[in-house]
Amino acid sequence: MSPAVPPASASAPEPAVLQPLLPSDPSAIAGYRLLGRLGAGGMGVVYLGRTDSGELAAVKVTHADHADQPDFRARFRREVEAARRVSSPWAVPVTGADPDAPEPWMATAFVPGPSLGEAVTAHGPLPERSVRILGGALARALAAVHAAGLVHRDVKPGNVLLAVDGPRLIDFGIARTTGETALTSTGMVVGTPGFLAPEQAEARAAEIGPPSDVFALGCLLAHAATGRPPFGTGAVDALLYRTVHDEPDLDGIPEALLPLVTACLAKDPAERPTAAEIAARLTEDTPGSAADWLPAPVVRTIAERSAAMLALPEIDATRPGASAPDGRPAPSRRKFLLASGGAVLAAGGGIGAWATLRDDGTGRKATPPPKKRRWVIGVHADLTGPAEDIGRAQERGARLAVEQFNARKDKPFTLELKVSDDGGDKNKALAAARVLTGDPDVLGVLGPTSDYTGLAALPAYDEALVPLITVSAGLNLLSNAPGGQGLSVLQACPQHAIAGTYLAYYVLTKSRSVRPGILQERTDDTYAWQYTGGANFGFRQGKVTPLPRVVPGTTTDYKRVLGAMMADGMDAYVHCGLTPSAVLAARALDELGFTGLKVTGQHVFEPRFLAEAGDAAEGWVLGAPVVDATTVKAASPFVAAHRKRYGTAPAFYTGESFDLVTLLAQELAKAAKAGKRPDRRTLAPLLRKAGHQGIMGGYVFDPETGQLRTGVVGTFMYVVENGRYKALDFAPAGPPKNRRT
């Protein structure tokens, strides 16, 4: 098993537009007047703050429930101490902190500039001179980190901000004293896959030191020069493996920089140069106050965001009579920004956020008169994109659950449904989520429909701690242990790796296979990798060694690939990939006359596979986290209600959506009967503990992670018969006992 990788909770989100303060937000922290939200995550919120003298700062405030945990407070105190120990013009300075406050906070200087990751994504690779200056400044920053006896451990594009006077290294949330391992769990990979050293990838804690930061710096410079990470993208396990075993992809790096970057990426820490040596080798002058070290498009981005900062409320509106220490009126923010070149401050947590706030003369956004509170359940779905059939089914299930609740004579309130469509586009998912989380009356959300829209939307749900219940998104990153992302997620379907394990158990139970083939098709690397890993694990649990193959997503000659697998003894076949490749595999196996069991998973379970594979699909067995409601006796009244409401039998995923919205409605009703309206931020733990026996079956969740309990089977098997999916039964939850081969 691979080592665990914690979510990068210490790292802040990517840059975003400044959001207004919520009614629950404070107006000030210590000496900082809060102007708006820069971002938020499971740990807390980062605000844009301003002092009486006009300085802007990023103020990170932790949630009180985390602050009550001694180990969390210790980590936060260590972060503050680490940041304060680093003295470099290229590292963000701490301007204030109180780790012992009821809600610990830390303020760092602020710069209105994009992160390196944002700049490269928006404008492409940096020119050679920019990369040299970037590398020299960051090497000096790391030299200061290492001189302070620290290791940063998360040097990545999102943790570097670009300003006209040079870059800034930020975020010391997971920095450690050299040699310190006590607060790191055994086998825990800490950092960002793709930008960490081999010793970090293999969780060799005793070997993690300054050379680890140098390796990460090499990855960062390669990314800046080429626009891509040197070890590619995709599944976490794949990235970790490539980092340890594969050579980096350095094509496109300027010839003059190639030897240095290559040296930084040496697998052996002892062979890497020190940060001070890198700084000496990159002799390009530092940029000083000039902006010509960056390409013009990046400079324009900085200028636009600096100008937007000038539209914030004037400093003398912060507090009546505010003045400088010598009694003179405090300088305006306009003078402060212009005098400083508009880019002398660096944002803690990697956040840049710039927008005009409309205010009522006090700097706070005007608060409308209070409205009567509603009881609203949200649906975040793909209603107009590639998974619209599933999204529409989920919306219908939710709507029927709300209508059934409202038909009760004893209902304590009337439920409403609010729907937000992301079109299956991960670039629109976050905005779709904020439509729901931005409405304080939305108490819980069903969705999203798909893996990657779910992952893209997660920051909004983490920020608001709104319960998010998904019946179709099986990506493992959607739910994790406390302190990571997915703090309020209930994943009411098996994760893809677990579903892959169930497929293997099914093959072992239903056949005498001794040489099952597993093909990983890499169009959707994360999904396919997780199914492959799960299937491998399941077969080995059954004492069977599978025959693996990995093919690029562009592969079309499946007859050659599968013919070779058959020649090697393949007697059953597990397809870990998407529908187009499954169609090619079905046709190839049909032409080859393969008679063994053929199975595949959730992302192929769709009408398209039947239509495009035709007769070649006959006999294939598919697993999906959904049951046909028309085959479930307990669901008969629901099926009848659906026919009456929509004129058809319910589609797949409708019944599960009905069940989970019913669970949410029941928990809301319990709170209402107790005479109070629930705080939506406290609902997820209650839902995770409650579980539910619905019309489609039982749902039991891990109270810590929100994942469907292991052993609670959630993969139902279907066989293709006469061009249709015929329901079989649930996949077994374990390998068969006393299996005869």
Side-chain angles (χ1 to χ4, degrees), residues 268-293:
D268 184 351
E271 296 180 3
R272 300 169 201 154
T274 66
E277 290 170 345
I278 296 170
R281 290 174 65 174
L282 294 174
T283 56
E284 186 79 42
D285 291 338
T286 54
S289 61
D292 63 353
W293 79 281

Side-chain angles (χ1 to χ4, degrees), residues 119-121 123-127 131 222-228 295:
V120 170
T121 298
H123 305 297
L126 298 182
V131 176
H223 176 76
T226 66
R228 63 184 187 278

Side-chain angles (χ1 to χ4, degrees), residues 272-650:
R272 300 169 201 154
T274 66
E277 290 170 345
I278 296 170
R281 290 174 65 174
L282 294 174
T283 56
E284 186 79 42
D285 291 338
T286 54
S289 61
D292 63 353
W293 79 281
L294 287 169
V298 180
V299 176
R300 281 196 297 272
T301 299
I302 297 172
E304 290 166 358
R305 294 178 174 182
S306 297
M309 284 289 99
L310 298 177
L312 289 169
E314 286 295 326
I315 185 61
D316 44 2
T318 299
R319 191 185 70 214
S323 60
D326 59 3
R328 293 179 291 113
S332 72
R333 174 192 13 78
R334 179 180 299 274
K335 291 180 180 178
F336 176 78
L337 282 175
L338 293 178
S340 65
V344 299
L345 302 175
I351 301 175
W354 305 269
T356 301
L357 286 180
R358 294 173 302 197
D359 66 85
D360 56 6
T362 65
R364 287 294 303 272
K365 186 175 180 181
T367 302
K371 298 179 181 179
K372 183 179 178 180
R373 300 303 301 273
R374 301 170 300 144
W375 298 70
V376 184
I377 290 177
V379 175
H380 180 161
D382 173 6
L383 302 178
T384 54
E388 63 178 314
D389 290 343
I390 298 175
R392 190 66 63 188
Q394 293 171 349
E395 180 198 6
R396 288 182 173 184
R399 197 169 297 281
L400 285 172
V402 167
E403 291 175 355
Q404 176 178 280
F405 180 88
N406 288 339
R408 291 171 43 181
K409 293 182 179 180
D410 63 341
K411 64 180 182 295
F413 50 80
T414 299
L415 269 178
E416 298 178 31
L417 200 68
K418 184 171 184 175
V419 180
S420 186
D421 176 21
D422 61 28
D425 185 345
K426 64 181 181 181
N427 295 315
K428 298 178 180 178
L430 186 59
R434 294 201 187 281
V435 168
L436 300 174
T437 61
D439 183 345
D441 290 336
V442 172
L443 295 167
V445 176
L446 176 76
T449 305
S450 307
D451 288 338
Y452 302 107
T453 55
L455 193 60
L458 202 55
Y461 294 108
D462 273 347
E463 173 185 347
L465 290 179
V466 175
L468 181 67
I469 308 172
T470 179
V471 298
S472 54
L475 195 66
N476 66 335
L477 294 177
L478 290 171
S479 58
N480 281 286
Q485 57 191 7
L487 293 173
S488 58
V489 170
L490 281 81
Q491 207 165 13
C493 59
Q495 293 187 343
H496 294 319
I498 297 173
T501 302
Y502 289 156
L503 292 188
Y505 292 160
Y506 184 86
V507 171
L508 293 175
T509 301
K510 300 296 183 179
S511 75
R512 295 186 176 183
S513 172
V514 294
R515 191 65 165 157
I518 302 176
L519 185 138
Q520 177 191 346
E521 178 265 304
R522 298 186 61 178
T523 301
D524 184 343
D525 206 18
T526 303
Y527 165 82
W529 176 274
Q530 290 182 9
Y531 257 87
T532 299
N536 265 305
F537 176 78
F539 283 127
R540 294 184 186 279
Q541 286 284 297
K543 311 299 182 184
V544 169
T545 301
L547 174 67
R549 287 290 187 277
V550 179
V551 299
T554 55
T555 298
T556 57
D557 189 0
Y558 272 79
K559 190 172 182 180
R560 178 184 60 81
V561 175
L562 296 176
M565 295 177 72
M566 290 173 62
D568 287 339
M570 179 177 73
D571 56 9
Y573 177 67
V574 181
H575 186 86
C576 300
L578 305 183
T579 298
S581 61
V583 169
L584 295 174
R587 292 172 179 169
L589 290 173
D590 188 52
E591 291 180 23
L592 291 166
F594 182 72
T595 58
L597 190 58
K598 299 160 288 191
V599 302
T600 188
Q602 176 183 351
H603 284 189
V604 182
F605 184 68
E606 57 177 346
R608 181 183 175 189
F609 176 66
L610 301 177
E612 296 185 8
D615 291 343
E618 291 293 310
W620 274 68
V621 176
L622 296 89
V626 62
V627 179
D628 182 352
T630 63
T631 67
V632 180
K633 184 177 181 180
S636 297
F638 163 75
V639 173
H642 190 281
R643 288 186 185 277
K644 182 178 180 180
R645 179 74 163 79
Y646 296 107
T648 63

Side-chain angles (χ1 to χ4, degrees), residues 58 82-95 106-111 141 145 152 159 161 167-172 344-350:
R84 280 176 165 163
R85 286 166 62 179
V86 177
S87 178
S88 170
W90 313 118
V92 58
V94 175
T95 59
M106 177 175 67
T108 53
F110 175 81
V111 118
V145 171
H152 189 284
N159 278 344
L161 294 182
R168 300 292 193 282
L169 178 65
I170 63 172
D171 203 342
F172 293 85
V344 299
L345 302 175

